Amino acid sequence: VTGVQTCALPICENYPEEPPTTKFVNQKINLPSVGPDGRVNFAQNTQLNQWNSSMSMMDVLKALKGEMASKKGLNQPQEGVNY
């Protein structure tokens, strides 16, 4: 994954008991935990699938960064292909 990726992490009323709804909002990205609409499925990310109230938005970003680093070989959409 190259370039700058933009995520939205709106906080719900029950945060941190519930995770923030996380979505990539600009350029499409191909990662196992990211759906075709850009939403992050926490169940598909080994660092986020056991969300608990001690976790933070920084944990979300670090987990996504780690997933990007470990999946460098995945084919990515062409630059400029957006959600």
Side-chain angles (χ1 to χ4, degrees), residues 6 21 29 35 39 43 48 50-51 81:
T6 304
T21 302
I29 187 168
R39 291 186 188 273
L48 299 173
Q50 302 273 330
W51 181 265
V81 176

Side-chain angles (χ1 to χ4, degrees), residues 1-5 27 76 79:
V1 179
T2 61
V4 175
Q5 300 295 330
Q27 182 158 334
Q76 295 298 322
E79 194 168 328

